């Protein structure tokens, strides 16, 4: 789960990370009043769960409260398109009004879980403000990386090493240690998977300040963080994904046109690979899970079909704990509720497979049988192209 910049900053502040003073606003009047309270020059920042906002016009500097109101009027309600939002962009519903900061230098600092190393790792770069992926692609030597010892946790020497690497002078070492210690505490206490400050700046006054903040949390740990769950903004999430999560389904929308309904994350990944190998592109990842009910399967199938880019569907089920007849019953229920206009390829194997096939055959659903995964993938890709398999 992701949160907004202003929420991340307020969390970081409570752990001692220096951030500019600021307030969130939902209307231009609220923005004006916030700017008045802050006094002087302020920055108006669009709050969406994506970066690159500045270039898209989502960040403006105002000299006074009435200018802040004008910019807020402009930004609130705009559809902001950035390299991270995709071409559809994101509707801005909140802005952060923050005291403007004069900066001398900008850096990148992030903490994340490196699954390969099995450790928490800090990443830093002197190319502040730039997306770290771009720096990694163009000038990988400019990226500094320090792993945390899993037993000792964060140690001050890690911060000092990174500070030296970034070319920070001796007068900034203490501040860097304090900032990284706070950032790490916030990261571990909240079960975050990513905490990113881009840019981390040295202000004209020589202070180290987090000018931007981005945090992502491990969904599997959210059950123990009521306070973080309350920060969820469903407007920022894919509507079909929100709906799927409400039914306990693991659904992720992708860019292709082949809808996939699969049981088990491993089989779902393998299915997506086979679709790509057959020259197609999956429209989604969907794991209906090991113990899904017919009702869940029905919801899953309906969610799949409501994605307008889906041109064909592949149902690939290996009945282990999940029984093929339960899947078939769910599909039939979905077919009863909505018209299925796209071709469907079915590959069923395992527990109660005959019963499952019989239910599907009697459903009136016009489907193609896939014999094996490779065959099913080839057929569904052809059908999605409007060809006969
Ligand atoms: P992002 O592009 O969506 O990640 O938005 P950021 O919050 O990182 O802001 C983009 C850029 O705007 C930063 O790299 C800064 O250069 C600039 N910026 C943001 N806030 C301020 C501020 O208070 N003062 C100054 N001088 N620049 C700012
Ligand atoms: Mn940024």
């Amino acid at each position: 789960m992701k949160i907004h910049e202003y929420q991340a900053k307020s969390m970081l502040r409570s752990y001692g990370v220096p951030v500019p003073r600021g307030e969130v606003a939902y209307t231009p009047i609220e923005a004006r009043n916030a700017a008045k309270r802050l006094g002087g020059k302020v920055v108006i920042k669009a709050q969406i769960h994506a970066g690159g906002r500045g270039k898209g016009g989502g960040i403006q500097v105002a000299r006074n409260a009435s200018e802040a109101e004008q910019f807020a009027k402009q930004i609130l309600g705009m559809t902001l398109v950035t390299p991270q939002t995709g071409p559809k962009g994101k509707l801005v519903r909140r802005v952060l009004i923050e005291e403007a900061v004069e900066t001398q230098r900008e850096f990148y600092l992030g903490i994340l879980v490196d699954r390969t190393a099995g450790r928490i790792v800090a990443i830093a770069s002197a190319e502040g403000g730039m997306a770290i992926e771009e720096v990694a692609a163009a000038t990988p030597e400019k990226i500094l990386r320090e792993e945390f010892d899993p037993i000792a946790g964060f140690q001050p020497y890690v911060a000092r090493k990174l500070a030296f690497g970034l070319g920070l002078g001796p007068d900034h070492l203490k501040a860097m240690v304090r900032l990284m210690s706070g950032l790490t505490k916030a990261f571990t206490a909240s079960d975050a998977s990513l905490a990113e400050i881009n840019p981390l700046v040295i202000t004209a006054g020589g202070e180290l300040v987090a000018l931007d903040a981005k945090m992502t949390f491990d969904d599997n740990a959210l059950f123990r963080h009521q306070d973080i769950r309350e920060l969820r903004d469903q407007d920022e999430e894919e509507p079909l994904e929100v709906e799927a999560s409400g039914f306990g389904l693991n659904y992720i929308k992708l860019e292709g046109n082949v809808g996939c309904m699969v049981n088990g994350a491993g089989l779902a990944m393998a299915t997506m690979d086979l679709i790509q190998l057959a020259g197609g592109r999956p429209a989604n990842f969907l794991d209906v899970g090991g113990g899904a009910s017919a009702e869940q399967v029905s919801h899953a199938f309906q969610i799949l079909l409501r994605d307008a880019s889906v041109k064909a569907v592949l149902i690939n089920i290996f009945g282990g704990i999940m029984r093929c007849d339960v899947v078939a019953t769910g599909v039939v229920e979905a077919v009863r509720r909505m018209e299925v206009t796209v071709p469907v390829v079915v590959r069923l194997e395992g527990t109660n497979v005959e019963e499952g096939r019989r239910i599907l055959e009697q459903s009136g659903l016009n489907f193609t049988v896939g014999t094996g995964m490779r065959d099913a993938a080839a057929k569904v890709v052809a059908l999605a192209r409007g060809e006969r398999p």
Side-chain angles (χ1 to χ4, degrees), residues 5 43 45 50-54 59 99-103 106 129 198-199 211-212:
E5 174 192 6
V43 184
K45 305 182 79 176
R53 296 163 297 170
I59 298 178
E99 60 178 338
V101 172
E102 286 303 322
T103 69
E106 299 194 353
N198 187 22
L211 215 52
D212 189 12

Side-chain angles (χ1 to χ4, degrees), residues 182-214:
L183 183 63
T184 309
K185 277 194 197 117
F187 180 92
T188 47
S190 63
D191 289 307
S193 53
L194 173 78
E196 192 184 70
I197 300 179
N198 187 22
L200 168 70
V201 304
I202 297 182
T203 67
E207 275 168 291
L208 211 53
V209 174
L211 215 52
D212 189 12
K214 178 179 180 174

Side-chain angles (χ1 to χ4, degrees), residues 13-301:
R13 181 187 284 118
S14 70
Y15 283 93
V17 175
V19 297
R21 290 181 306 133
E23 294 179 31
V24 65
Y26 295 82
T27 65
I29 295 297
E30 282 176 19
R32 182 195 186 94
N33 292 332
K36 230 184 261 167
R37 280 189 290 272
L38 292 165
K41 245 166 70 171
V42 292
V43 184
I44 293 88
K45 305 182 79 176
Q47 298 297 288
I48 55 170
H49 287 184
R53 296 163 297 170
K55 286 166 216 134
I59 298 178
Q60 302 287 353
V61 183
R63 282 169 302 186
N64 52 49
S66 79
E67 253 186 42
E69 181 181 349
Q70 287 311 308
F71 280 128
K73 207 179 258 170
Q74 208 180 83
I75 295 174
L76 284 165
M78 84 188 276
T79 300
L80 190 53
V81 180
T82 84
Q84 291 180 18
T85 59
K88 269 190 289 176
K90 286 239 168 110
L91 179 66
V92 183
R93 301 163 201 260
R94 328 175 177 190
V95 286
L96 169 61
I97 313 298
E98 202 174 64
E99 60 178 338
V101 172
E102 286 303 322
T103 69
Q104 282 185 45
R105 293 183 64 188
E106 299 194 353
F107 307 98
Y108 173 98
L109 177 64
I111 294 184
L112 53 108
V113 176
D114 181 332
R115 287 167 191 269
T116 312
R119 293 183 174 200
I120 295 174
V121 52
I123 306 273
S125 147
E127 302 289 311
M130 251 176 96
I132 196 73
E133 296 85 356
E134 285 171 36
V135 182
T139 49
E141 71 282 359
K142 288 192 181 159
I143 293 180
L144 309 173
R145 191 179 177 284
E146 286 296 327
E147 284 176 8
F148 296 179
D149 183 280
I151 293 170
F154 168 77
Q155 294 293 307
Y157 79 88
V158 170
R160 285 195 290 266
K161 236 169 130 176
L162 289 175
F164 282 126
L166 293 173
L168 287 176
D171 38 337
H172 292 122
L173 291 185
K174 252 198 195 138
M176 185 69 167
V177 171
R178 224 178 297 131
L179 185 141
M180 276 198 72
S181 155
L183 183 63
T184 309
K185 277 194 197 117
F187 180 92
T188 47
S190 63
D191 289 307
S193 53
L194 173 78
E196 192 184 70
I197 300 179
N198 187 22
L200 168 70
V201 304
I202 297 182
T203 67
E207 275 168 291
L208 211 53
V209 174
L211 215 52
D212 189 12
K214 178 179 180 174
M215 290 191 82
T216 308
F217 305 98
D218 181 348
D219 291 349
N220 292 317
L222 285 175
F223 73 93
R224 56 185 182 194
H225 298 290
Q226 170 68 28
D227 50 337
I228 297 171
R229 284 203 307 273
E230 280 165 13
L231 302 178
R232 183 169 176 191
D233 181 359
Q234 297 200 349
D235 287 335
E236 292 292 319
E237 299 173 14
E238 187 63 46
L240 289 177
E241 287 180 13
V242 173
E243 195 181 329
S245 76
F247 294 117
L249 299 163
N250 205 347
Y251 171 92
I252 294 159
K253 180 158 164 37
L254 301 168
E255 303 297 317
N257 63 4
V258 179
C260 311
M261 186 159 89
V262 190
N263 67 318
L267 188 60
M269 300 288 269
T271 304
M272 290 163 57
D273 284 353
L274 283 173
I275 288 170
Q276 308 239 35
L277 271 176
R281 302 249 285 139
N284 67 279
F285 169 93
L286 171 61
D287 169 16
V288 291
S293 64
E295 200 196 344
Q296 276 176 303
V297 170
S298 166
H299 285 302
F301 198 52

